[in-house]
Amino acid sequence: MIKNTPPLRAVRRKLQKQRMEALQQLALEGGKIPLPRGLVFEPTQRCNLSCVMCCHRQHHTEGSCPEMDTGAAVEFIKGLKKQHDFRTIGFIGSEPFVRTDLEDLMKAAVGLGLEVSVQTNSTLLDEARIKSWSDHKDHIRNFGASLEGVAGVDDQIRPGKDVFNRARRGIELAVQSGLPVTVSILILDSNREKLGELIELLDDLKVRSIDLSLIVNHSQDDIKETARLSGIDEKNICITSKPELEYKTDTRQLLEDLKSGLALGKSCGMRTSTSPESFLANYSDIRDGSIRKKHRLSCGALDTVRVDPSGRLIHCQHFRQSFGDLRQVTLAEAWNSPEFRNFRKRLAEANLFPICVDCYRMRVL
């Protein structure tokens, strides 16, 4: 096995940047862009929790996303693979493990030769489910979990029954099984002072990879301007917009919290990252939104096919407008339809939209 050494990572980043440059230019010209090798499938928009910062919960997206049953979902994934040589598939929700058949979808994807990723709130993981995933761990690229605080903190951020203990146990099981676990942590006013305790807890659980980020929370003005620039109706823009979630903590202190969390993780031997990936280098410009005026930007979703639970092609989790029902039209037709090309052109001309600046898919060119 070839190790992911620093020189190799540097080469990979350079190639990724060159690809994003090329995709951005094609989008700006309103041209056709090549189908990506990465597929993201939302098997459900349901969730068992009601997290205070969740855009899907605020916009009730589960009500507008009928789901395919097991057989239909498996055949749908097989059909997409036949149409294009996808290499990877990511299962993401709201909470994909709400579906009791997620393991069936994972096994079908593995059987097609796909590398699989998943993102979960960790509370629905048990021994049987983890065993199904660990039996195929050579084909699991990333097992993304989340935990937002230590006992007494996490349950306030993510209301539900015994959330912290269930999430902690789920992460522990996944790590013990050898799955490639990355735990995402969102820094809020309510958990920042105990961020160090949380990272130390994850270290005790033998977690070796963490990702830190801040709330993606935008004003109604940002949403209206995004709708104007994108041509997407506001009802199809899914972003958290809650004045009560605005940080009371000074922005410089938040930066220090972010840095100290990353430093602690590294001292524990963890692989650390931020979302978006350029957060530290462009922190002030991202936080005040000025990055759109100061840097050339691109969207990582240009390089991913994303499909909602009903089989509709969408751009990303925040833009829910359908660009084609993939049960009715081919992937190639929908991917480079005039409507989707026009949306991408608007995205490139605007140097991304106001709600995009702190998204984990934002890229600085």
Side-chain angles (χ1 to χ4, degrees), residues 102-289:
L102 185 64
E103 286 69 35
D104 295 321
L105 306 188
M106 177 270 290
K107 291 174 185 177
V110 169
L112 293 168
L114 295 168
E115 297 291 303
V116 179
S117 299
V118 68
Q119 184 66 43
T120 174
N121 64 33
S122 320
T123 63
L124 297 176
L125 306 176
D126 58 26
E127 288 88 347
R129 304 196 81 167
I130 288 297
K131 185 178 186 309
S132 292
W133 286 81
S134 63
D135 285 347
H136 298 86
K137 61 187 174 186
D138 289 343
H139 300 280
I140 309 302
R141 299 180 73 230
N142 184 57
F143 197 90
S146 61
L147 194 64
E148 309 300 357
V150 294
V153 176
D154 186 55
D155 296 84
Q156 295 178 9
I157 298 169
R158 308 193 301 174
K161 184 179 180 181
D162 201 24
V163 171
F164 169 77
N165 287 325
R166 288 190 292 144
R168 180 189 181 282
R169 179 57 176 160
I171 292 170
E172 183 178 40
L173 289 170
V175 172
Q176 289 176 350
S177 74
L179 287 166
V181 176
T182 295
V183 176
S184 297
I185 305 170
L186 187 64
I187 301 175
L188 300 93
D189 287 327
S190 55
N191 69 359
R192 49 170 291 273
E193 292 185 351
K194 294 194 174 183
L195 178 62
E197 289 183 38
L198 176 56
I199 293 173
E200 289 172 353
L201 168 65
L202 295 175
D203 184 41
D204 290 341
L205 295 178
K206 309 301 181 185
V207 171
R208 296 277 65 97
S209 179
I210 59 172
D211 185 85
L212 304 184
S213 61
L214 301 186
I215 298 172
V216 176
N217 185 46
H218 284 270
S219 68
Q220 287 299 312
D221 286 344
D222 281 347
I223 295 172
K224 290 182 183 300
E225 180 65 2
T226 295
R228 185 186 72 81
L229 291 170
S230 67
I232 302 293
D233 193 294
E234 284 185 43
K235 69 180 182 180
N236 289 321
I237 297 176
C238 175
I239 196 80
T240 304
S241 182
K242 295 182 177 180
E244 63 269 26
L245 286 180
E246 287 298 310
Y247 284 106
K248 297 178 177 61
T249 304
D250 180 80
T251 189
R252 290 170 295 181
Q253 181 59 56
L254 287 172
L255 177 57
E256 290 306 309
D257 294 335
L258 192 62
K259 288 180 177 179
S260 63
L262 293 169
L264 178 58
K266 288 179 181 177
S267 72
C268 293
M270 297 176 177
R271 180 170 60 85
T272 62
S273 59
T274 61
S275 292
E277 62 183 23
S278 58
F279 207 175
L280 287 183
N282 300 281
Y283 177 80
S284 297
D285 296 339
I286 290 174
R287 292 295 297 150
D288 65 18

Side-chain angles (χ1 to χ4, degrees), residues 19-34 296-303 315 335-353 365:
R19 180 171 175 80
M20 290 311 304
E21 289 269 9
L23 293 176
Q24 180 75 357
Q25 185 59 39
L26 287 171
L28 189 62
E29 296 168 357
K32 294 182 179 181
I33 67 174
R296 290 179 58 246
L297 309 176
S298 187
C299 173
L302 293 175
D303 206 23
H315 176 68
W335 182 250
N336 277 310
S337 67
E339 294 79 13
F340 210 173
R341 287 159 59 187
N342 179 59
F343 172 82
R344 295 189 191 111
K345 189 173 190 296
R346 286 170 173 257
L347 181 66
E349 287 177 338
N351 202 28
L352 303 192
F353 304 129
L365 298 178

